[in-house]
Amino acid sequence: MSWGTELWDQFDNLEKHTQWGIDILEKYIKFVKERTEIELSYAKQLRNLAKKYQPKKNSKEEEEYRYTACKAFLSTLNEMNDYAGQHEVISENMTSNITVELARYVQELKQERKSYFHDGRKAQQHIEICWKQLESSKRRFERDCKEADRAQQYFEKMDADINVTKADVEKARQQAQVRHQMAEDSKADYSSILQKFNHEQHEYYHTHIPNIFQKIQEMEERRIVRIGESMKTYAEVDRQVIPIIGKCLDEIVKAAESIDQKNDSQLVIEAYKSGFEPPGDIEFEDYTQPMKRTVSDNSLSNSREGKSELKFGGKSKGKLWPFIKKNKLMSLLTSPHQPPPPPPASASPSAVPNGPQSPKQQKEPLSHRFNEFMTSKPKMHCFRSLKRGLSLKLGATPEDFSNLPPEQRRKKLQQKVDELNKEIQKEMDQRDAITKMKDVYLKNPQMGDPASLDHKLAEVSQNIEKLRLEAQKFEAWLAEVEGRLPARSEQGRRQSGMFDAQNPATVNSCAQDRESPDGSYTEEQSQEGEVKVLATDFDDEFDEEEPLPAIGTCKALYTFEGQNEGTVSVVEGETLYVIEEDKGDGWTRIRRNEDEEGYVPTSYVEVYLDKNAKGAKTYI
């Protein structure tokens, strides 16, 4: 079926239909374009989602990704990145293979359609001109025929009238002949134009219009085929990435199947294993035998020769020291172990309402009892570790990780040694590169001055030496933790004093115990038995302890620089909260905010106690 034969009289409708076809094509292009924008937006959102849940570098979260479940999650995030990339591929291919190509084709289609309908209008205009010529010749022939008929009638009338002269009759006859000739000429012209019009009309309806309409039909069919091919391409672009998307999903499934719960459980053991042995059974103490009290070798306190007992004085008699009340132990261990400094010489007696503290009190303070206990036998070497663990709460971080249990400390030290070795290797590579460059300069002086590299070479060598010393220091600690080295002598301890300086406030009486440079977790074997203290347990308990309530306020009378562990600096005129009154050792415990509290000399502050506050009592 051809449009030229079937729709020969539907020129205007075909024009509208072909314009509608182009509009449909442009609508499809717009649809694909919006689809590509959706794919890009979806890919961007997927990438942002994967990035949002990626572990941050050098963060605690990054350490968690050594577990197989976290590794699987990380693989899922990476696969989601690849998944997003496939949606970007869909967008790119649809843009290049459909949107761009169809946009170019639409422009060509519009030009082609415009050309065909221009030819059709020219054919219409030509047939209309021929029709007008035919109508004109027809009217002229009709007019000439009528005038010839009137002239003939007039001649016959004149010829029948006897009163008309012969000359008038002859004139009328000639006029009739002229009109008749004009009618004949018009007739011939009309016949000629009619034949020409019929020919043109036949050509128009059977040749020109069918040809034009056939081309328009072919153009429209090509448009339909092209939009169908574009729809196939639309599906194929999606289909091409399905295998890759399937691989992404397969990798996610593979990552999920790689999760090993046993391995993760083992990693938890490695991460939190302290290296301590569980405490043994506590033996029964027979109080019916006053002079034969015994304590288990594995208990947390050890009696030398079974005769001496650990006493803290007062109500704590007979109790193991790790089980003292938390607040009392905190104040016991964090209170400075030295007398408070005297107030400035310029201070007037009236400026110190509390007055100087007498060195001798009626009741011996707990901190003194603690020092007394530490100097007595048996010694408990882990007090220093416990105290160091408490010092971490005040912001001091031990360089040798002595605040950690042995197993965790070993791992941290090993990690530090590995990092230092990497840095040493990096510096050595840099030194080799500088040395090679210096050799090149020596062989080719025009390339540079060899002496200009001496300073850099010396700096790198100095860095290597520093790193090696640092590495040796950590390797020594590591070897001690792993038990490869014997207990340190006093001389070795003095030599490592430069490392201990970073962690002051150690208990001097613990010097005879076996310990790491700053009091790490170690054990001392003795003939009588063994003492072990789990400082981490106390750290956990202190973490859970609620802050002490304020029992009043105080005003700083002088500026005090708190340089010792457990003290806090104050500025003259500053107002702070009192959380623990002077117990007789010359120190008052104050709080500035939730995270900063410590001791200041009682003579440096003016205390205003709240009589109704809980715990507001005087120790003097």
Side-chain angles (χ1 to χ4, degrees):
M1 302 296 288
S2 173
W3 287 7
T5 57
E6 302 296 331
L7 303 175
W8 58 271
D9 58 344
Q10 300 297 320
F11 184 90
D12 292 338
N13 286 332
L14 285 180
E15 187 176 20
K16 292 178 181 177
H17 177 77
T18 52
Q19 181 60 46
W20 171 82
I22 291 177
D23 293 342
I24 287 293
L25 194 57
E26 289 179 334
K27 183 183 292 186
Y28 180 72
I29 293 173
K30 186 178 180 182
F31 160 75
V32 176
K33 185 177 181 181
E34 290 186 3
R35 165 71 190 276
T36 60
E37 292 173 354
I38 290 174
E39 292 293 339
L40 281 177
S41 176
Y42 182 51
K44 183 179 179 181
Q45 291 178 5
L46 285 179
R47 289 191 183 278
N48 290 339
L49 179 65
K51 183 179 179 181
K52 178 181 178 182
Y53 286 94
Q54 285 280 357
K56 296 180 180 178
K57 292 184 178 180
N58 301 324
S59 66
K60 181 180 178 182
E61 190 180 58
E62 190 177 22
E63 297 179 1
E64 298 173 355
Y65 278 80
R66 55 191 179 166
Y67 298 101
T68 57
C70 293
K71 287 181 180 178
F73 179 49
L74 187 59
S75 298
T76 301
L77 295 178
N78 295 332
E79 293 302 329
M80 288 308 296
N81 261 326
D82 295 341
Y83 188 93
Q86 297 312 307
H87 285 278
E88 291 172 344
V89 170
I90 291 175
S91 176
E92 292 171 3
N93 291 342
M94 284 187 176
T95 299
S96 59
N97 298 341
I98 300 178
T99 305
V100 175
E101 292 295 328
L102 283 186
R104 187 184 303 114
Y105 176 70
V106 164
Q107 297 301 321
E108 296 173 357
L109 191 63
K110 287 181 178 179
Q111 291 296 330
E112 185 179 2
R113 175 181 174 277
K114 182 179 179 181
S115 173
Y116 291 151
F117 282 100
H118 177 70
D119 293 342
R121 288 193 180 88
K122 282 180 67 176
Q124 281 184 335
Q125 291 174 359
H126 179 70
I127 200 66
E128 287 175 0
I129 291 172
C130 292
W131 172 256
K132 288 179 181 179
Q133 290 177 350
L134 178 62
E135 286 293 319
S136 177
S137 64
K138 180 180 178 182
R139 286 194 299 271
R140 186 167 60 252
F141 172 58
E142 182 181 6
R143 184 179 65 250
D144 289 344
C145 287
K146 289 180 180 179
E147 290 190 2
D149 188 45
R150 283 197 299 270
Q152 184 63 31
Q153 290 178 0
Y154 179 72
F155 166 69
E156 290 176 356
K157 182 180 178 183
M158 293 293 287
D159 189 33
D161 191 353
I162 58 173
N163 295 323
V164 179
T165 61
K166 187 176 180 180
D168 292 334
V169 172
E170 185 61 25
K171 183 178 179 180
R173 187 180 64 79
Q174 291 178 355
Q175 187 68 26
Q177 289 178 348
V178 169
R179 292 293 179 186
H180 181 70
Q181 186 62 40
M182 289 177 64
E184 288 296 327
D185 292 342
S186 296
K187 180 180 179 182
D189 186 51
Y190 171 65
S191 176
S192 174
I193 291 175
L194 180 61
Q195 289 178 0
K196 182 181 178 180
F197 174 79
N198 286 334
H199 175 72
E200 291 292 341
Q201 182 175 259
H202 186 273
E203 288 292 321
Y204 175 78
Y205 286 113
H206 294 85
T207 303
H208 297 312
I209 289 298
N211 288 340
I212 292 173
F213 282 12
Q214 182 64 30
K215 292 178 181 178
I216 293 174
Q217 181 181 357
E218 292 172 358
M219 176 194 73
E220 184 68 9
E221 289 175 353
R222 286 199 307 274
R223 178 192 67 79
I224 296 171
V225 171
R226 189 63 178 268
I227 197 172
E229 291 174 350
S230 297
M231 290 179 180
K232 287 183 180 179
T233 304
Y234 179 87
E236 286 301 320
V237 166
D238 236 338
R239 194 190 305 276
Q240 287 172 1
V241 302
I242 288 178
I244 303 177
I245 291 177
K247 288 182 180 179
C248 294
L249 299 177
D250 291 342
E251 289 298 323
I252 293 176
V253 173
K254 184 178 178 181
E257 292 174 349
S258 69
I259 295 176
D260 186 354
Q261 68 276 12
K262 298 296 184 183
N263 181 73
D264 286 3
S265 298
Q266 184 61 34
L267 289 177
V268 174
I269 294 174
E270 294 176 3
Y272 301 111
K273 182 180 178 181
S274 67
F276 289 122
E277 294 292 334
D281 296 337
I282 298 176
E283 296 183 3
F284 176 75
E285 298 185 15
D286 190 356
Y287 286 93
T288 60
Q289 305 291 332
M291 302 304 295
K292 295 182 180 181
R293 294 183 59 195
T294 59
V295 183
S296 170
D297 290 343
N298 292 329
S299 63
L300 294 175
S301 64
N302 187 14
S303 177
R304 197 168 188 82
E305 297 179 0
K307 293 183 179 181
S308 61
E309 294 181 1
L310 301 181
K311 297 184 180 181
F312 284 91
K315 295 182 180 180
S316 62
K317 177 162 57 171
K319 293 182 66 175
L320 297 178
W321 69 267
F323 305 101
I324 303 173
K325 283 199 161 218
K326 299 170 190 174
N327 292 341
K328 192 174 294 184
L329 184 59
M330 278 292 292
S331 62
L332 179 69
L333 297 181
T334 58
S335 177
H337 300 294
Q338 58 186 10
S346 59
S348 62
S350 60
V352 187
N354 292 334
Q357 297 295 329
S358 173
K360 296 182 179 180
Q361 285 81 21
Q362 183 177 358
K363 185 177 180 181
E364 188 176 9
L366 289 177
S367 58
H368 291 182
R369 292 180 177 275
F370 175 74
N371 290 333
E372 210 174 66
F373 168 74
M374 292 303 297
T375 56
S376 65
K377 292 185 179 181
K379 296 180 179 62
M380 300 182 67
H381 58 274
C382 287
F383 267 93
R384 186 178 181 190
S385 301
L386 176 59
K387 184 173 182 184
R388 190 160 305 281
L390 294 173
S391 69
L392 291 180
K393 300 178 183 297
L394 301 176
T397 303
E399 185 184 12
D400 62 346
F401 308 106
S402 60
N403 60 303
L404 298 176
E407 184 67 22
Q408 304 306 315
R409 183 182 177 213
R410 182 192 64 78
K411 292 174 64 178
K412 286 289 185 181
L413 289 172
Q414 184 65 56
Q415 182 180 354
K416 187 68 176 179
V417 169
D418 294 341
E419 291 175 359
L420 289 171
N421 288 334
K422 287 181 181 178
E423 292 181 13
I424 291 172
Q425 187 60 43
K426 184 178 179 181
E427 293 290 335
M428 292 177 65
D429 293 341
Q430 186 176 357
R431 183 184 63 182
D432 295 342
I434 296 174
T435 304
K436 290 180 181 178
M437 187 180 295
K438 185 176 180 179
D439 293 340
V440 172
Y441 286 176
L442 289 171
K443 294 178 182 179
N444 303 284
Q446 67 276 11
M447 296 183 66
D449 182 14
S452 63
L453 299 175
D454 291 341
H455 177 70
K456 184 65 176 176
L457 193 60
E459 184 181 346
V460 172
S461 299
Q462 188 177 4
N463 290 341
I464 292 175
E465 188 61 27
K466 288 181 180 178
L467 289 172
R468 281 177 176 170
L469 290 174
E470 191 78 6
Q472 289 174 3
K473 177 176 65 175
F474 280 95
E475 285 173 356
W477 285 333
L478 179 61
E480 187 174 6
V481 171
E482 292 177 345
R484 294 199 298 264
L485 294 180
R488 288 192 169 192
S489 64
E490 188 66 31
Q491 181 181 0
R493 194 175 296 106
R494 284 198 298 270
Q495 291 175 352
S496 64
M498 57 180 292
F499 308 133
D500 290 338
Q502 297 181 0
N503 295 283
T506 56
V507 181
N508 297 331
S509 58
C510 291
Q512 297 177 0
D513 297 332
R514 182 178 181 271
E515 59 188 76
S516 62
D518 61 352
S520 61
Y521 291 86
T522 54
E523 297 180 3
E524 179 188 14
Q525 299 291 339
S526 63
Q527 296 179 355
E528 290 79 19
E530 174 180 53
V531 179
K532 299 178 182 179
V533 178
L534 307 181
T536 52
D537 295 342
F538 291 97
D539 287 345
D540 294 339
E541 289 184 357
F542 296 143
D543 290 339
E544 297 172 359
E545 181 67 21
E546 295 182 357
L548 291 173
I551 61 174
T553 59
C554 68
K555 179 180 180 182
L557 301 176
Y558 316 102
T559 298
F560 172 68
E561 297 293 338
Q563 298 179 352
N564 295 326
E565 184 178 358
T567 62
V568 64
S569 300
V570 295
V571 180
E572 182 178 353
E574 185 179 4
T575 301
L576 309 107
Y577 293 99
V578 176
I579 58 175
E580 192 172 323
E581 200 180 356
D582 186 356
K583 300 178 181 179
D585 55 1
W587 296 92
T588 298
R589 191 175 180 184
I590 56 95
R591 177 187 296 138
R592 177 174 284 109
N593 50 48
E594 293 182 358
D595 299 326
E596 187 176 4
E597 64 178 47
Y599 288 86
V600 295
T602 305
S603 58
Y604 276 59
V605 294
E606 183 177 0
V607 179
Y608 307 98
L609 291 180
D610 182 1
K611 300 301 181 181
N612 297 325
K614 183 178 179 181
K617 59 183 180 178
T618 303
Y619 288 76
I620 301 174

PDB file of all heavy atoms in Angstrom, residues 92 94 190 246 277 299 352 387 412 444 488 510 534 542:
ATOM      1  N   GLU A  92      26.672   6.710  29.964  1.00  0.00           N
ATOM      2  CA  GLU A  92      27.550   7.137  28.877  1.00  0.00           C
ATOM      3  C   GLU A  92      27.143   6.496  27.556  1.00  0.00           C
ATOM      4  O   GLU A  92      27.086   7.181  26.519  1.00  0.00           O
ATOM      5  CB  GLU A  92      28.993   6.779  29.223  1.00  0.00           C
ATOM      6  CG  GLU A  92      29.556   7.572  30.395  1.00  0.00           C
ATOM      7  CD  GLU A  92      30.906   7.044  30.850  1.00  0.00           C
ATOM      8  OE1 GLU A  92      31.405   6.094  30.203  1.00  0.00           O
ATOM      9  OE2 GLU A  92      31.452   7.587  31.827  1.00  0.00           O
ATOM     10  N   MET A  94      24.210   5.196  26.661  1.00  0.00           N
ATOM     11  CA  MET A  94      22.913   5.692  26.193  1.00  0.00           C
ATOM     12  C   MET A  94      23.045   7.097  25.615  1.00  0.00           C
ATOM     13  O   MET A  94      22.382   7.443  24.633  1.00  0.00           O
ATOM     14  CB  MET A  94      21.901   5.678  27.340  1.00  0.00           C
ATOM     15  CG  MET A  94      21.369   4.308  27.686  1.00  0.00           C
ATOM     16  SD  MET A  94      20.036   4.374  28.907  1.00  0.00           S
ATOM     17  CE  MET A  94      19.574   2.650  28.971  1.00  0.00           C
ATOM     18  N   TYR A 190      -8.549  27.714 -25.790  1.00  0.00           N
ATOM     19  CA  TYR A 190      -9.158  27.016 -24.665  1.00  0.00           C
ATOM     20  C   TYR A 190      -8.904  25.521 -24.759  1.00  0.00           C
ATOM     21  O   TYR A 190      -8.569  24.857 -23.771  1.00  0.00           O
ATOM     22  CB  TYR A 190     -10.648  27.307 -24.626  1.00  0.00           C
ATOM     23  CG  TYR A 190     -11.410  26.463 -23.626  1.00  0.00           C
ATOM     24  CD1 TYR A 190     -11.183  26.581 -22.261  1.00  0.00           C
ATOM     25  CD2 TYR A 190     -12.366  25.526 -24.068  1.00  0.00           C
ATOM     26  CE1 TYR A 190     -11.881  25.797 -21.358  1.00  0.00           C
ATOM     27  CE2 TYR A 190     -13.064  24.741 -23.174  1.00  0.00           C
ATOM     28  CZ  TYR A 190     -12.816  24.875 -21.806  1.00  0.00           C
ATOM     29  OH  TYR A 190     -13.495  24.095 -20.916  1.00  0.00           O
ATOM     30  N   GLY A 246      26.480  -8.680  37.653  1.00  0.00           N
ATOM     31  CA  GLY A 246      26.386 -10.017  38.236  1.00  0.00           C
ATOM     32  C   GLY A 246      27.676 -10.423  38.936  1.00  0.00           C
ATOM     33  O   GLY A 246      27.645 -11.028  40.014  1.00  0.00           O
ATOM     34  N   GLU A 277      47.510 -14.824  84.380  1.00  0.00           N
ATOM     35  CA  GLU A 277      46.922 -16.091  84.804  1.00  0.00           C
ATOM     36  C   GLU A 277      45.768 -15.804  85.748  1.00  0.00           C
ATOM     37  O   GLU A 277      45.837 -14.865  86.551  1.00  0.00           O
ATOM     38  CB  GLU A 277      47.971 -16.954  85.513  1.00  0.00           C
ATOM     39  CG  GLU A 277      49.108 -17.421  84.622  1.00  0.00           C
ATOM     40  CD  GLU A 277      48.628 -18.415  83.582  1.00  0.00           C
ATOM     41  OE1 GLU A 277      47.611 -19.088  83.842  1.00  0.00           O
ATOM     42  OE2 GLU A 277      49.277 -18.505  82.526  1.00  0.00           O
ATOM     43  N   SER A 299      46.916 -15.688  96.078  1.00  0.00           N
ATOM     44  CA  SER A 299      46.027 -14.591  96.416  1.00  0.00           C
ATOM     45  C   SER A 299      46.686 -13.275  96.065  1.00  0.00           C
ATOM     46  O   SER A 299      47.863 -13.213  95.725  1.00  0.00           O
ATOM     47  CB  SER A 299      45.654 -14.636  97.899  1.00  0.00           C
ATOM     48  OG  SER A 299      46.812 -14.455  98.678  1.00  0.00           O
ATOM     49  N   VAL A 352      45.419  33.670 104.486  1.00  0.00           N
ATOM     50  CA  VAL A 352      45.328  32.215 104.501  1.00  0.00           C
ATOM     51  C   VAL A 352      44.407  31.809 105.631  1.00  0.00           C
ATOM     52  O   VAL A 352      44.846  31.611 106.765  1.00  0.00           O
ATOM     53  CB  VAL A 352      46.729  31.567 104.669  1.00  0.00           C
ATOM     54  CG1 VAL A 352      46.635  30.074 104.515  1.00  0.00           C
ATOM     55  CG2 VAL A 352      47.711  32.180 103.698  1.00  0.00           C
ATOM     56  N   LYS A 387      49.313   2.670  89.482  1.00  0.00           N
ATOM     57  CA  LYS A 387      49.376   4.127  89.550  1.00  0.00           C
ATOM     58  C   LYS A 387      49.575   4.721  88.161  1.00  0.00           C
ATOM     59  O   LYS A 387      49.017   5.755  87.815  1.00  0.00           O
ATOM     60  CB  LYS A 387      50.519   4.549  90.486  1.00  0.00           C
ATOM     61  CG  LYS A 387      50.572   6.054  90.678  1.00  0.00           C
ATOM     62  CD  LYS A 387      51.575   6.431  91.712  1.00  0.00           C
ATOM     63  CE  LYS A 387      51.565   7.929  91.918  1.00  0.00           C
ATOM     64  NZ  LYS A 387      52.598   8.354  92.854  1.00  0.00           N
ATOM     65  N   LYS A 412      51.610  -3.913  70.801  1.00  0.00           N
ATOM     66  CA  LYS A 412      51.834  -2.491  70.513  1.00  0.00           C
ATOM     67  C   LYS A 412      53.319  -2.213  70.288  1.00  0.00           C
ATOM     68  O   LYS A 412      53.696  -1.453  69.385  1.00  0.00           O
ATOM     69  CB  LYS A 412      51.298  -1.644  71.659  1.00  0.00           C
ATOM     70  CG  LYS A 412      49.777  -1.540  71.701  1.00  0.00           C
ATOM     71  CD  LYS A 412      49.269  -0.679  70.569  1.00  0.00           C
ATOM     72  CE  LYS A 412      47.758  -0.471  70.685  1.00  0.00           C
ATOM     73  NZ  LYS A 412      47.230   0.341  69.574  1.00  0.00           N
ATOM     74  N   ASN A 444      80.619  14.475  37.323  1.00  0.00           N
ATOM     75  CA  ASN A 444      80.208  15.528  36.389  1.00  0.00           C
ATOM     76  C   ASN A 444      79.965  16.817  37.175  1.00  0.00           C
ATOM     77  O   ASN A 444      78.827  17.122  37.550  1.00  0.00           O
ATOM     78  CB  ASN A 444      78.943  15.124  35.637  1.00  0.00           C
ATOM     79  CG  ASN A 444      79.111  13.827  34.880  1.00  0.00           C
ATOM     80  OD1 ASN A 444      79.734  13.759  33.841  1.00  0.00           O
ATOM     81  ND2 ASN A 444      78.546  12.750  35.462  1.00  0.00           N
ATOM     82  N   ARG A 488      65.963  -6.222  84.993  1.00  0.00           N
ATOM     83  CA  ARG A 488      66.900  -5.113  84.897  1.00  0.00           C
ATOM     84  C   ARG A 488      67.604  -4.890  86.229  1.00  0.00           C
ATOM     85  O   ARG A 488      67.004  -4.982  87.297  1.00  0.00           O
ATOM     86  CB  ARG A 488      66.173  -3.836  84.504  1.00  0.00           C
ATOM     87  CG  ARG A 488      65.731  -3.844  83.046  1.00  0.00           C
ATOM     88  CD  ARG A 488      65.297  -2.467  82.669  1.00  0.00           C
ATOM     89  NE  ARG A 488      65.111  -2.390  81.245  1.00  0.00           N
ATOM     90  CZ  ARG A 488      64.949  -1.249  80.601  1.00  0.00           C
ATOM     91  NH1 ARG A 488      64.948  -0.120  81.271  1.00  0.00           N
ATOM     92  NH2 ARG A 488      64.782  -1.221  79.304  1.00  0.00           N
ATOM     93  N   CYS A 510      59.465   0.961  94.884  1.00  0.00           N
ATOM     94  CA  CYS A 510      59.299  -0.204  94.012  1.00  0.00           C
ATOM     95  C   CYS A 510      60.555  -0.469  93.199  1.00  0.00           C
ATOM     96  O   CYS A 510      60.553  -1.317  92.316  1.00  0.00           O
ATOM     97  CB  CYS A 510      58.123  -0.017  93.059  1.00  0.00           C
ATOM     98  SG  CYS A 510      56.544  -0.038  93.900  1.00  0.00           S
ATOM     99  N   LEU A 534      45.982  -7.056  88.940  1.00  0.00           N
ATOM    100  CA  LEU A 534      45.440  -6.722  87.618  1.00  0.00           C
ATOM    101  C   LEU A 534      45.041  -5.268  87.614  1.00  0.00           C
ATOM    102  O   LEU A 534      43.937  -4.916  88.018  1.00  0.00           O
ATOM    103  CB  LEU A 534      44.235  -7.605  87.282  1.00  0.00           C
ATOM    104  CG  LEU A 534      44.483  -9.111  87.417  1.00  0.00           C
ATOM    105  CD1 LEU A 534      43.233  -9.867  87.042  1.00  0.00           C
ATOM    106  CD2 LEU A 534      45.646  -9.538  86.544  1.00  0.00           C
ATOM    107  N   PHE A 542      37.393   2.194  87.755  1.00  0.00           N
ATOM    108  CA  PHE A 542      37.431   3.652  87.873  1.00  0.00           C
ATOM    109  C   PHE A 542      36.688   4.311  86.728  1.00  0.00           C
ATOM    110  O   PHE A 542      36.104   5.367  86.881  1.00  0.00           O
ATOM    111  CB  PHE A 542      38.881   4.141  87.899  1.00  0.00           C
ATOM    112  CG  PHE A 542      39.643   3.645  89.111  1.00  0.00           C
ATOM    113  CD1 PHE A 542      40.977   3.287  89.003  1.00  0.00           C
ATOM    114  CD2 PHE A 542      39.006   3.539  90.344  1.00  0.00           C
ATOM    115  CE1 PHE A 542      41.673   2.850  90.107  1.00  0.00           C
ATOM    116  CE2 PHE A 542      39.711   3.099  91.449  1.00  0.00           C
ATOM    117  CZ  PHE A 542      41.033   2.738  91.333  1.00  0.00           C
TER     118      PHE A 542
END
